[in-house]
Amino acid sequence: MKFKNITEVTSTQLANIVSNDSLRPTMTGVFIDSEFSVIAGTNSHLLMTYPIEIISDEKISKIVPIEFFNIKKYAGKITPKDIQFLEYSLEEDYAKVYYREKLIFLCSYIAEDSEYPNYRAVIPDGGKTEIGEIGVSLKFLKNISDSLPGKFSKKSGILSFYGKNRAMKLVFNSDDLQIVGVLMPYIGV
């Protein structure tokens, strides 16, 4: 399956949302979901999805390390104008990045035999209720801001609240692209 990273999200932004818990290896990477054309990442407190453009008919979904999106590491002299020529590919054994049809990066998948958590099940989709108190950790708000690619970072977003101590849905729009996130409630002492 081949795709383009149309939001231009990088490993730097993805590092703010993935887990670093080695006991949960599936959550240390990002899930490329070809069925819904998104990249999904979570650390169990914050979930973000980024749209991708599928450019082949194959449907393969895999978990890749965030280094797969480390443009500075493998692309070296690629300028922001040249990012449009990057093409990402999920193949049977490896994830690959091509620049103008030349292979420039190759990596293995994470937890090949494991399934990524059902991220779609936690994205609220309606049923707004009256809100009492909602606790939000400033650390998580900073992580949200740091997880947005350049074209989204200066935009405002929409927070949708669905009840006391329930997940908050975040939506960021830029042109015809949309990044969706979920912030789990912070229940502090």
Side-chain angles (χ1 to χ4, degrees):
M1 192 258 318
K2 293 183 179 184
F3 68 94
K4 293 212 177 255
N5 178 3
I6 54 177
T7 61
E8 299 172 3
V9 65
T10 67
S11 60
T12 304
Q13 287 119 11
L14 294 170
N16 290 297
I17 60 167
V18 299
S19 175
N20 58 7
D21 183 354
S22 61
L23 296 176
R24 298 185 292 177
T26 56
M27 293 175 63
T28 63
V30 292
F31 182 56
I32 311 298
D33 187 346
S34 64
E35 182 180 350
F36 294 99
S37 301
V38 297
I39 300 166
T42 185
N43 62 11
S44 77
H45 298 284
L46 174 64
L47 163 74
M48 297 293 285
T49 63
Y50 305 87
I52 57 176
E53 177 187 350
I54 307 290
I55 54 176
S56 68
D57 292 333
E58 282 182 277
K59 295 288 185 184
I60 298 174
S61 296
K62 298 282 188 177
I63 304 166
V64 297
I66 61 173
E67 289 78 20
F68 187 57
F69 295 97
N70 189 344
I71 295 169
K72 291 177 184 172
K73 179 178 181 178
Y74 58 72
K77 298 178 182 173
I78 292 178
T79 65
K81 292 179 186 175
D82 291 332
I83 289 175
Q84 65 182 321
F85 299 110
L86 288 176
E87 186 176 279
Y88 297 82
S89 178
L90 301 183
E91 298 177 11
E92 189 173 325
D93 297 324
Y94 296 100
K96 299 177 180 180
V97 181
Y98 295 89
Y99 174 66
R100 294 184 185 261
E101 299 182 13
K102 178 183 174 192
L103 178 66
I104 59 171
F105 186 75
L106 171 115
C107 67
S108 298
Y109 298 116
I110 293 178
E112 187 83 36
D113 300 333
S114 300
E115 285 193 36
Y116 199 76
N118 184 0
Y119 71 93
R120 297 191 57 78
V122 300
I123 299 175
D125 61 357
K128 293 182 181 176
T129 60
E130 185 176 323
I131 305 302
E133 294 179 7
I134 295 178
V136 179
S137 167
L138 293 179
K139 176 184 170 197
F140 293 133
L141 290 178
K142 182 176 180 341
N143 283 352
I144 292 167
S145 175
D146 291 346
S147 69
L148 296 174
K151 64 175 81 176
F152 290 88
S153 63
K154 294 186 175 41
K155 305 277 183 179
S156 60
I158 298 170
L159 276 169
S160 299
F161 301 94
Y162 294 94
K164 185 175 181 179
N165 293 328
R166 301 227 16 232
M168 293 167 264
K169 184 177 181 181
L170 315 157
V171 177
F172 300 92
N173 292 301
S174 178
D175 303 322
D176 61 345
L177 301 175
Q178 184 178 75
I179 293 176
V180 177
V182 176
L183 179 63
M184 298 303 168
Y186 174 76
I187 305 171
V189 180

